[in-house]
Amino acid sequence: MDYRLPTTVVPSRYELRLVPDLDAATFAGEETVTVTIREPVTEIVLNAAELAIQAVSIRDAAGTVVPGTATLDEAQERARLLFPSALAPGEWRLTLAFTGTLNDRLHGFYRSTYKDSAGVTHTIAATQFEATDARRAFPCWDEPAGKAVFAVTLVVPAGLAAVSNTAVVSDEPAEGGRRAVRFADSIKMSTYLVAFIVGELEATAPVMVGSTPLRVWCVPGKAHLTRFALDCGVFTLDFFEKYYGIPYPGDKVDLLAIPDFAAGAMENLGAITFRETALLVDETAASHSELERVADVVAHELAHMWFGDLVTMVWWNGIWLNEAFATFMEMLAVDAWKPEWERWVNFGVSRSAAMGVDGLLSTRPIEFEVRAPRDCEAMFDLLTYEKGAGVLRMLEQSIGPAVFRSGVQRYLEEHRYGNAETTDLWKALGKASGLPIPEIMDAWIFRPGYPLVSVEVDGAGVKLSQRRFTYLGAEGSPDERWRIPIALRASVKGGWVDKRLFLGEAETRVELPAAPEWVLANTGGHGFFRVGYALPMLKKLARSVAKVSPIDRFNVASDAFALSQAGFLPAVEYLELTGRFREERDRNVWTVLTGSFGFVNRVLPESARPGLEAFVRHRVGLAAERLGWDREAGESELVRQLRGDLLRVLGTLGNEEETQAQARAMWARYVEDESGLDPNVLPAVIAILAFTGGEREYADFLQRFRTARNPQEEQRYLYALGAFREPELIRQTLERTLNGEVRSQDAPFLIRSMLGSVYARGLAWEFVKEHWEAMARQYPGSAYRRLYEGVTALVSPEWERDVREFFERNKITLGGKTLEQYLEQLRVAVRFQERESTALAAYLARPPR
Ligand SMILES: [Zn+2]
C-alpha cells in the first residue's frame, strides 16, 4: 500500500470556516484550498476520516467552476474527488463543504467536559492532530511536508471563547446569534500543528515577551493557578529567541489547559494545548517534582515553536529528532531558568530509563523507516525523547555548546518555513564544528542499543573495551561499535588525572602516570553508555564515592544496578555496594537506590519481605533521620523534595512504624491547619496513609480527589486510591477506572501504577484481562498503550506465561515494538528472580550492615 499522497496536486493555502455545535457534539465546515495542479488530473486525492463531504467544486484563475463528487475510503482515510474532465496544470481554488462529529476519543476535533464548583457540566471543543488526525476535522493533505498557510474562522456561540494558532483579526455577529471569529493568516506550517479551541475559557492578561503577547488559558475559576507557567513561559520564550537567534515565528502565544487531554501537551503553533497537570499549578501547595513537570512541559513546547513548527521533519521517520531536540532544549532552558534545580543531574534519571529500554534485544534504532504514518504513534517513547536527547547532549558536550548552537542556528536559517531531514542537522553541525558529525552520530542514531565500556587496570594505565550492552545476553556481532566520547578521571597517587578521547575501536589502552586506585570513564555523566568496572575497582570506587560529583555518583549506582539486572554483577554485591551511599545527599542518586529496592521487592517472594523492609530501613534511615520532617530555613527545593522521597520509602517499602505513626500525626495536624506541612512532604504522608490505611482513609481520599482544588492535588489523591493494600479497596479503585469516575486520560496510568504495586498487581491483572476490550474502547490510544507497561511488574514464571498467553489469545496492537519490549522487560525480571532470589533471600535474612 502506498501511504504517501500523490504530489500532482499541492496545497498552499487553506481558508477554513468551522461551526461547532457543542451540545450536539457535531460540526459543520467549509474550506477553500488554493492548490497547484502540476499535471492534468481528473481526480484529486487528499486525507479525510470520519467526515461526510456534501459539496465539491474547483475554480480556475479565470473563474470557471467545475463541480466534482467525493468518495471516501475510510480504511485509507482518504477522499477521492472526481471531476468530469481533466483539470489543467496551474493554480486552482478547491471548495469543499463537510460535516463531522466532536468525538470523545481525545483526537481530531473532540469534546472535553468538566464540572464547575456547582456541579454543572460544561463542554469544550478542542483539537489534537499529531500525528494524523487533522483529517478528522477537515479534508487536507495531512502530511508534515504539506505545509500551507491557514486562515481560520470559527463560528461560535456568543458567550464562548475561540482560540486558534494566530491573533484574532475580526469578531463579528454571524448567523443564529453566533459570532464569526476570524484569525490572521498563519505562517506556512504543517496540518498537524493547526488548532481550534472553543469553550468557556478565561485568559490571563497578556505579558509581552519582546513583541509577542503570552497568555495562559484555563476553565473559569482556575486563573490563580497560572502564575508559575506564565513566569516560565516568559523566561523560556525569551531564552529560545536568543538561543536560536530567530524571533518567535508566530504573532502570539497562548498556553491552554484542557480538562481532557491524551498526551502531556501539544506544540500547535501559537495555541499550545496542555493537560491541566502540566500547566496549572499552585506554587505554594506544589512539590518540587510537580513544579519541575510544569516547567519542563512549558519549555519543551515553546522549544518546538522553532524546532518542529518553523522547521519540520519531511516525514514521520524524523519525529525522533523533533522530540529529542525539544527535550534537550527543555533541559537547557529550565537549567538556565532555575540553575538550583540541577536539571541536567536529574536528566540522569531519564537517560537511565531510556537505557532500560534500549538495553533490550527488542529495542529499535532511534531513527528507522516509517512507512504507514500510524507506525509513528509508537515512536512517542523513551527512545525518541530521552535517548534522543541524551545522544544530543553527549554530542553538544563533546563538540562544545557554542559550536553546537551555531550549527543549530545555521540549520534553522537554512530550512525555515520548510522541511528537513536529520542529515541536514548533522551537515550544519559538521560545518560549524569542522568534525565528521554524520560518521560520529551514525551508530547512535541508526543502530539499536548502546555500548558497555569495560574498564580494567592494566599496569600503569587502564584498558577500555566496548561491546553492546544487553540484559539478556549479547547478540550483536563483535564489530558492532560506537564512537564513544570518553571523559576519563583517574585517581592516581592521591591526585586526579583527567583525559578525553574517542573510543572507536573494540579496545584501547590509556596510559597513566601510575596504576590508578580507581577511574571514572563517563565523568560528568553525559555519555549514553554503561560503564562496567571490575569488582575490586568498583569496591574502591564505592569507598571513595563521596569525593565525586552527584552525577558521577548517580552513574556508579545506576550502572552497577543495570549490570546486576543483566547478570554481570551478583545482586547481593549490588545491595552490599548500596551500603556506601547511606550518607548520600543527592535526590537523584537516591532515586536510583530506592528504585532498585522497589525492583527487588517485586522480584522477591512474600516471605522475604520483612528482610527487605529491614534492609530498606537500614539503607534509608540515616539520611531520612538527618532530614527530619520539617523544612529548615534556607534549604533548597531539592533537599525538601528528597525529604519527601525518603520518608515515603521509609514508611512504605521500609514499613517503619515510627514513620507511619508520625505520618498519621502530621496528617491530623494538616487537616486542622494546612500551612504547617511542606508540600514536598504531603505526598509522602498521603502515600503512607494509603499504605497503612483502611476504609476511613479511603473514603477521605476519595472525597478529596473529587473536590480537589488543583490538578496536582487531584493526581495525588487519585494515585493514592490505587496504593491501598486491602483487596476490597483495590477492587473499588479498579472499578472506578471504567465507570467514568476517573477521566479516561488518567485511568490507564492509574492501572499501570496498580500493576506495579505488589499488593494490587494480582487483582489489577485479573481486572485488565476481564475488561481489556472496554478499556480499548474508552481510553485514548496513546495512554491505553502505556497501561500494559504494568505487566513488566508481574514477576513470576506463572504470571509471565499467563501474560504471554493473554497477548497471544487477544488481538491487542500496541504499535511498533512496544509489546515485545514489555514482554522482554518481564523476561529480564523473571530471569533475575530465577538467578538471584535464593541468594537475595539468604542475604536479606541476615541483619543488614
Ligand atoms: Zn514534543
Side-chain angles (χ1 to χ4, degrees), residues 459-541:
V462 285
K463 205 175 80 184
L464 302 175
S465 57
Q466 64 161 300
R467 64 171 150 145
R468 182 172 166 190
F469 175 89
T470 59
Y471 290 98
L472 290 180
E475 192 198 47
S477 63
D479 53 24
E480 206 174 8
R481 283 182 212 150
W482 286 261
R483 292 197 47 171
I484 311 169
I486 302 277
L488 195 86
R489 169 162 288 181
S491 165
V492 182
K493 294 179 171 169
W496 280 352
V497 180
D498 285 309
K499 297 210 172 208
R500 285 181 168 269
L501 61 136
F502 268 101
L503 173 60
E505 55 276 31
E507 196 180 293
T508 195
R509 211 189 110 85
V510 181
E511 293 298 335
L512 294 168
E517 192 195 1
W518 51 260
V519 299
L520 290 170
N522 186 13
T523 317
H526 307 295
F528 196 88
F529 54 89
R530 295 282 183 200
V531 183
Y533 302 98
L535 189 57
M537 195 204 283
L538 182 61
K539 286 183 169 168
K540 282 185 197 162
L541 189 51

Side-chain angles (χ1 to χ4, degrees), residues 597-758:
F597 302 157
F599 177 83
V600 170
N601 188 35
R602 289 191 289 276
V603 165
L604 285 178
E606 215 181 313
S607 58
R609 198 163 295 147
L612 179 67
E613 287 168 355
F615 173 83
V616 169
R617 290 194 292 271
H618 177 264
R619 290 297 189 259
V620 177
L622 195 64
E625 197 180 320
R626 206 179 52 211
L627 291 172
W629 285 81
D630 298 313
R631 60 189 281 189
E632 278 171 35
E635 239 174 25
S636 78
E637 239 178 76
L638 293 182
V639 168
R640 287 159 50 201
Q641 179 68 54
L642 174 62
R643 172 180 296 120
D645 292 354
L646 293 180
L647 288 171
R648 177 206 300 253
V649 171
L650 205 53
T652 56
L653 201 51
N655 202 13
E656 201 203 44
E657 283 171 23
E658 204 182 308
T659 304
Q660 293 166 351
Q662 183 67 17
R664 281 189 291 271
M666 297 298 269
W667 178 256
R669 243 168 61 193
Y670 173 78
V671 171
E672 296 300 316
D673 170 20
E674 293 191 358
S675 67
L677 191 51
D678 186 284
N680 294 280
V681 173
L682 176 61
V685 168
I686 294 169
I688 294 169
L689 258 73
F691 184 83
T692 56
E695 272 174 47
R696 196 165 52 91
E697 287 80 5
Y698 190 93
D700 188 10
F701 289 178
L702 181 61
Q703 181 58 20
R704 286 169 183 272
F705 161 69
R706 286 175 176 156
T707 55
R709 293 161 296 180
N710 59 61
Q712 289 71 29
E713 193 172 81
E714 185 184 86
Q715 294 287 304
R716 282 179 207 153
Y717 292 114
L718 174 63
Y719 283 95
L721 294 179
F724 282 80
R725 288 189 289 175
E726 276 182 33
E728 178 44 36
L729 301 176
I730 291 167
R731 274 191 210 100
Q732 281 188 33
T733 303
L734 288 168
E735 293 296 331
R736 296 200 154 86
T737 62
L738 275 176
N739 68 5
E741 280 188 81
V742 179
R743 285 183 186 277
S744 67
Q745 66 171 14
D746 296 323
F749 298 102
L750 176 60
I751 295 171
R752 182 178 69 176
S753 86
M754 294 178 79
L755 285 165
S757 148
V758 297

Side-chain angles (χ1 to χ4, degrees), residues 106 108 110 126-134 165 190-197 253-258 261-275 278-279 297-298 300-302 304-305 308-309 312-313 316 319 322-323 380 385:
L106 317 191
Y110 72 91
T127 54
Q128 169 59 38
F129 290 164
E130 192 179 18
T132 57
D133 293 316
N165 303 88
S190 307
T191 47
Y192 79 91
L193 297 168
V194 175
F196 335 113
I197 301 92
V253 175
D254 286 319
L255 311 176
L256 302 109
I258 310 293
F261 197 82
M266 178 63 213
E267 67 266 25
N268 316 301
L269 184 89
I272 307 172
T273 43
F274 295 75
R275 59 165 66 200
L279 188 67
V297 182
V298 168
H300 179 103
E301 303 310 324
L302 287 171
H304 271 312
M305 297 299 107
D309 293 10
T312 312
M313 64 268 158
W316 298 109
I319 189 73
N322 197 21
E323 293 306 345
F380 291 91
Y385 288 77

Side-chain angles (χ1 to χ4, degrees), residues 117-264:
S117 51
V120 180
T121 300
H122 300 258
T123 305
I124 291 171
T127 54
Q128 169 59 38
F129 290 164
E130 192 179 18
T132 57
D133 293 316
R135 64 191 65 174
R136 292 176 206 281
F138 58 98
C140 56
W141 280 260
D142 199 9
E143 297 182 351
K147 283 197 170 185
V149 169
F150 292 85
V152 175
T153 301
L154 296 173
V155 181
V156 301
L160 301 188
V163 179
S164 187
N165 303 88
T166 52
V168 174
V169 290
S170 69
D171 189 335
E172 289 161 356
E175 67 272 13
R178 291 173 158 246
R179 285 157 46 229
V181 183
R182 200 161 74 79
F183 299 89
D185 282 10
S186 74
I187 61 164
K188 229 181 127 198
M189 65 180 198
S190 307
T191 47
Y192 79 91
L193 297 168
V194 175
F196 335 113
I197 301 92
V198 177
E200 281 173 70
L201 293 164
E202 56 185 48
T204 59
V207 178
M208 296 305 292
V209 182
S211 56
T212 308
L214 175 82
R215 291 179 295 185
V216 177
W217 293 75
C218 57
V219 300
K222 294 192 175 173
H224 63 291
L225 305 175
T226 56
R227 183 77 244 165
F228 184 78
L230 205 54
D231 287 350
C232 177
V234 168
F235 180 91
T236 52
L237 189 63
D238 177 63
F239 176 87
F240 292 134
E241 285 199 322
K242 290 180 179 137
Y243 184 92
Y244 294 129
I246 297 175
Y248 169 68
D251 59 5
K252 56 94 182 174
V253 175
D254 286 319
L255 311 176
L256 302 109
I258 310 293
D260 293 283
F261 197 82

